[in-house]
Amino acid sequence: MTTNKSSHIILASHANLLYKETLPIHWGAKNPIERGPVVASLTDKKRRNAIGTHSGTYAVYRALSIAAKKYPPMHKPDLENTYSPVKFGPYDSWHDPDKMVSIDPWGLDVQDHFKELMKNGHDIRPTIAVTQARLQIPEIYEAIDKGRLKIDGKIVTENKDIRVTKVALEPVWYLPGIAKRLNVDEGELRKVLFEETGGIFPELVTRPDLKIMLPPIGSTTVYIFGNPEDLSRSNVELTCRVHDECNGSDVFGSDICTCRPYLIYGIEDAARTAQRGGVGIIAYYRKEGRALGEVTKFLVYNARKRQEGGDSAANYFKRTECVAGVEDARFQELMPDILHFFGIKKIHNLHSMSNMKYDAIVGSGIEVINRIEIPMELIPTDAHVEIEAKKAAGYFTPGTKKAGDELKAVKGRDIEE
Ligand SMILES: [Zn+2]
């Protein structure tokens, strides 16, 4: 095992740690060389120009592997044959420092964009990867059997698989841009990020010259139906669902919310759009339980069901705030960055009832034509509390919203049931 890493710890906590080997980053610059690569690898600390490191939360597991002496710390990934099967960009959005502040568009196919630098020993790693896959989903089989979706041998194969292109995107934060998006001072943002994570990266407060941070948070996965390059063509019909992870429903089919039904309905419609010559996109964000986490979420479920009068649409949001301190921590302001990576300018069918998502998308300069709500027949019985509460709070619906006694009357199952 190669272990020629220095054994003493450098906290990298002083601005005088600027090395001549460090490449500058000009966020939003026209081409990758002028922009400069994000170097967050740890094999040569002098060349690092970012705070944090790759793989989001999994960086901690990599550290465990190194500590357990199962992983050579000086390992550099062999990127041969790992490149994307599809070409994306560059689009105009890639050259706008304000359009994307939470991902790095040049993090896709770094072996192409930064070939010479990598030949010269720079350890530059991808933060975006693309591959192709097929989906096998029971609800989709049903949609085919009922004639809602047809087998065309192209999007839907003979054995009812859906062909997709999938894209994984790790977060890369441009801190001045994040601060601007949230309307806070950058220095204040860095201080709070440092303090409220129990002091995670000292460079946040000691190295104001480092503007890029790779936060240890979840990534985003995108599934594309049809020709991926059509996403940037506004004359091609585009169906989109922006979905925040809900493991309980998405994977396990838990019936207290509408997450899986809405997700699968989005997949079905995205495939259908591709079949009529359009393109579909499902963006899946790892923001479990409104980005408050699953422990908080389960506590809220109990609090909702045990409160006086039982689980009711009238008190839905209040219970979350009591437990978590805030109703929602997803910061939808950052969500459209993923759409801008694909050069999206117009969404014909947006599968979402959330006013926060809609406002963020439209506010980022993307036109939305139709907003699609989940069909009533797909809502599980216990999830009517959630859906009525959301509609009453301003979520989109072409139908009617309940209020007062009518809203109070929407009740969920008891905790013992
Ligand atoms: Zn859910």
Side-chain angles (χ1 to χ4, degrees):
M1 186 194 288
T2 335
T3 47
N4 53 347
K5 262 192 173 177
S6 159
S7 58
H8 65 276
I9 290 173
I10 301 172
L11 265 181
S13 56
H14 300 286
N16 62 8
L17 271 174
L18 277 177
Y19 300 104
K20 62 177 182 350
E21 293 90 339
T22 312
L23 295 167
I25 292 175
H26 302 288
W27 198 255
K30 273 269 179 206
N31 68 66
I33 295 300
E34 196 189 324
R35 208 300 300 274
V38 170
V39 183
S41 53
L42 293 149
T43 49
D44 184 352
K45 289 189 178 162
K46 288 183 178 175
R47 299 196 198 204
R48 278 168 58 77
N49 58 13
I51 302 169
T53 190
H54 293 279
S55 309
T57 50
Y58 300 107
V60 179
Y61 283 101
R62 197 178 57 90
L64 286 184
S65 307
I66 292 172
K69 309 229 179 301
K70 290 181 174 165
Y71 181 112
M74 297 307 287
H75 171 79
K76 285 186 188 179
D78 173 1
L79 296 177
E80 198 184 344
N81 290 331
T82 61
Y83 56 86
S84 168
V86 179
K87 180 160 165 44
F88 289 108
Y91 306 110
D92 289 345
S93 50
W94 292 27
H95 309 144
D96 182 337
D98 291 326
K99 277 281 186 245
M100 279 179 279
V101 298
S102 62
I103 46 167
D104 170 17
W106 302 107
L108 172 68
D109 289 342
V110 289
Q111 59 272 53
D112 262 0
H113 304 315
F114 306 110
K115 204 174 189 170
E116 291 306 311
L117 287 169
M118 289 174 81
K119 256 192 220 161
N120 293 332
H122 278 85
D123 184 3
I124 301 163
R125 304 195 180 184
T127 52
I128 300 176
V130 184
T131 191
Q132 271 151 346
R134 291 184 183 202
L135 310 182
Q136 302 185 326
I137 303 172
E139 290 96 322
I140 294 297
Y141 300 159
E142 197 188 306
I144 295 166
D145 294 342
K146 288 190 172 162
R148 298 201 304 271
L149 197 61
K150 60 178 190 294
I151 290 171
D152 63 351
K154 219 174 122 202
I155 304 295
V156 180
T157 67
E158 286 301 326
N159 64 342
K160 302 180 186 175
D161 292 356
I162 300 182
R163 281 207 176 93
V164 290
T165 301
K166 51 182 184 179
V167 186
L169 305 102
E170 277 173 13
V172 177
W173 286 3
Y174 175 58
L175 291 168
I178 298 274
K180 196 171 162 187
R181 225 32 106 74
L182 305 187
N183 205 16
V184 295
D185 172 70
E186 186 197 333
E188 180 66 10
L189 170 72
R190 297 172 75 114
K191 188 181 87 139
V192 178
L193 273 173
F194 174 68
E195 287 176 350
E196 295 301 321
T197 51
I200 191 166
F201 299 124
E203 293 100 322
L204 279 168
V205 284
T206 60
R207 294 287 307 272
D209 57 303
L210 294 177
K211 297 296 185 192
I212 306 292
M213 173 189 180
L214 276 65
I217 60 172
S219 53
T220 303
T221 315
V222 167
Y223 286 78
I224 302 164
F225 305 73
N227 178 5
E229 288 173 73
D230 280 344
L231 289 168
S232 65
R233 299 181 179 125
S234 358
N235 57 335
V236 176
E237 184 187 5
L238 194 161
T239 292
C240 169
R241 162 114 187 115
V242 280
H243 189 91
D244 294 320
E245 176 174 33
C246 171
N247 184 271
S249 171
D250 294 345
V251 180
F252 289 94
S254 174
D255 73 342
I256 196 167
C257 56
T258 55
C259 301
R260 181 177 170 98
Y262 219 152
L263 175 64
I264 307 292
Y265 181 60
I267 292 173
E268 180 186 325
D269 205 31
R272 206 163 25 237
T273 308
Q275 288 189 326
R276 57 174 183 254
V279 61
I281 179 171
I282 308 282
Y284 192 87
Y285 300 78
R286 299 310 180 319
K287 291 181 187 170
E288 180 58 69
R290 295 198 209 121
L292 300 166
E294 217 173 28
V295 168
T296 297
K297 183 173 171 173
F298 290 3
L299 296 174
V300 171
Y301 288 159
N302 287 346
R304 272 172 53 186
K305 290 189 177 290
R306 287 199 182 108
Q307 70 190 323
E308 214 182 302
D311 190 15
S312 92
N315 289 324
Y316 174 79
F317 286 103
K318 217 187 292 172
R319 297 314 312 169
T320 305
E321 199 171 343
C322 288
V323 178
V326 64
E327 273 181 16
D328 195 304
R330 286 176 291 177
F331 291 95
Q332 299 294 358
E333 296 92 319
L334 303 175
M335 170 269 287
D337 287 18
I338 300 288
L339 307 176
H340 288 295
F341 171 75
F342 297 100
I344 292 174
K345 292 186 273 306
K346 191 188 222 175
I347 295 171
H348 300 75
N349 314 300
L350 176 65
H351 278 244
S352 171
M353 294 161 74
S354 163
N355 50 338
M356 289 175 288
K357 288 179 183 169
Y358 174 81
D359 291 346
I361 291 171
V362 172
S364 80
I366 296 172
E367 191 187 344
V368 173
I369 311 288
N370 301 308
R371 298 170 74 180
I372 318 277
E373 70 171 342
I374 186 169
M376 274 307 262
E377 65 271 20
L378 294 183
I379 302 172
T381 318
D382 204 36
H384 282 276
V385 169
E386 177 205 86
I387 211 82
E388 290 306 333
K390 284 180 169 178
K391 283 192 218 167
Y395 272 50
F396 169 77
T397 172
T400 50
K401 297 173 185 190
K402 293 183 166 50
D405 287 344
E406 218 191 348
L407 188 65
K408 281 184 198 151
V410 181
K411 290 278 176 69
R413 253 198 333 268
D414 191 73
I415 195 160
E416 309 293 344
E417 281 179 60

